Amino acid sequence: MKKRWFIAGLLVLALALTGCNKDSGKAGEGDASVATTVDENGKTKSVALVPCVLFYPEGSLWSEDNKGQLVWYNTFYAGQTFYAYPTEEGSLSEEIFTAKMTKQGKKEAEKDDYAKISYNNKVYWIVKDLIIPNAVAKVIIQDGYNYSSDTIADMTKTTITKGQIVAVNPAYVKSAESDLECYNVTWRKNGGKSYRDVYIKKDIVSDKDDDLIAQRYLNRLSKIKESGNQIVLDEIYENCKALDLSPYYRELILEAFPN
């Protein structure tokens, strides 16, 4: 998994609130893992897309205008999942996510590397250093230790705490027959700058998608409360009430919305 990450500028509060009542964290509605493309010769072919997780707290989603420039479209938040296009060779290495475009207002020398992604069955772009390819998002529901490998003897002194969103390598789950049933994950401490690629016990990770959705709402709740936008708060609460939450998250939602 990726171990180096570059920091992107934080968006203003107004952008942070955009679309919050629809921020489920799931891939775009109706999205498929296979896309149809047309090459320069007009030949149509199917392309297997790569599942990805946004791992920085916020990331801008860009669309391309008719001049080939990127125009801001929306904001994604940590734990958002979507599909990205690979190279024509079908490689799954991280280097596949390279497509240089020029944002409006940026000089040619200020180009970034972007991932071409599929969301709501449309093509968008996102800075590639904000995402983890070949991963699924989950949330921690119990404090636990980090392990440097998949054996109990390699337990470290560092811990991971409840509420952390992690990007799980879905191809790796150590079997219960070994000495440590675990996930290989990448995570970033809340408020921290460094990313960690570690192993953690499988039983401290929630397999409920709705728990992840609840945590994503909770991560942004303080800013929304500061804005005084009661309509948005009411919508979030109604959405959370409809979720199938674990007891831990059900209690957190009740505490966040005491009335």
Side-chain angles (χ1 to χ4, degrees):
M1 279 191 178
K2 200 161 192 173
K3 297 183 180 179
R4 291 189 304 111
W5 301 90
F6 298 91
I7 304 298
L10 290 176
L11 300 174
V12 295
L13 177 60
L15 299 185
L17 300 181
T18 301
C20 61
N21 61 313
K22 298 180 181 179
D23 181 28
S24 69
K26 296 180 181 179
E29 189 171 339
D31 269 3
S33 60
V34 177
T36 300
T37 62
V38 180
D39 63 22
E40 58 184 11
N41 297 318
K43 185 178 180 180
T44 301
K45 65 177 181 178
S46 296
V47 177
L49 303 182
V50 181
C52 296
V53 175
L54 175 69
F55 214 58
Y56 195 71
E58 298 177 8
S60 291
L61 191 65
W62 303 86
S63 60
E64 183 181 356
D65 65 13
N66 56 12
K67 296 180 180 179
Q69 294 183 320
L70 296 185
V71 182
W72 183 86
Y73 173 76
N74 207 340
T75 302
F76 274 170
Y77 299 91
Q80 179 69 54
T81 60
F82 45 87
Y83 292 101
Y85 287 77
T87 59
E88 291 186 2
E89 292 76 17
S91 169
L92 295 183
S93 68
E94 294 174 4
E95 286 71 30
I96 65 175
F97 301 111
T98 302
K100 292 191 174 181
M101 305 288 287
T102 303
K103 294 179 187 176
Q104 288 184 339
K106 293 189 70 173
K107 297 179 181 178
E108 195 73 13
E110 297 178 296
K111 288 182 178 180
D112 292 317
D113 287 345
Y114 290 85
K116 177 183 178 182
I117 74 166
S118 173
Y119 187 72
N120 284 329
N121 287 316
K122 295 181 180 179
V123 172
Y124 297 99
W125 303 82
I126 191 168
V127 174
K128 75 181 184 70
D129 290 308
L130 305 182
I131 66 176
I132 298 178
N134 301 302
V136 295
K138 293 185 182 294
V139 67
I140 303 299
I141 54 174
Q142 181 181 329
D143 296 348
Y145 283 99
N146 295 320
Y147 295 78
S148 59
S149 77
D150 54 11
T151 61
I152 290 179
D154 287 330
M155 184 178 73
T156 71
K157 293 181 180 180
T158 61
T159 58
I160 188 168
T161 57
K162 291 181 289 189
Q164 286 284 167
I165 293 176
V166 297
V168 177
N169 175 1
Y172 188 95
V173 180
K174 194 69 173 180
S175 70
E177 297 176 356
S178 70
D179 57 354
L180 183 64
E181 187 175 14
C182 60
Y183 279 133
N184 177 213
V185 306
T186 300
W187 66 280
R188 174 185 181 274
K189 186 176 181 180
N190 291 334
K193 296 181 179 180
S194 60
Y195 291 79
R196 299 176 180 178
D197 184 10
V198 299
Y199 296 83
I200 58 176
K201 287 185 176 179
K202 184 175 180 291
D203 59 10
I204 69 171
V205 180
S206 173
D207 283 326
K208 281 181 169 286
D209 288 339
D210 284 359
D211 282 353
L212 172 64
I213 294 171
Q215 184 60 55
R216 286 164 51 80
Y217 281 131
L218 292 171
N219 285 349
R220 298 158 57 201
L221 202 55
S222 60
K223 284 187 177 182
I224 297 173
K225 285 183 176 180
E226 289 175 5
S227 74
N229 194 328
Q230 190 59 45
I231 294 177
V232 172
L233 287 173
D234 290 344
E235 289 181 349
I236 289 177
Y237 181 51
E238 290 302 316
N239 287 346
C240 288
K241 285 198 304 182
L243 297 175
D244 179 19
L245 300 174
S246 65
Y248 171 68
Y249 272 99
R250 181 65 63 187
E251 183 177 344
L252 286 184
I253 293 300
L254 290 176
E255 291 176 357
F257 298 92
N259 297 324

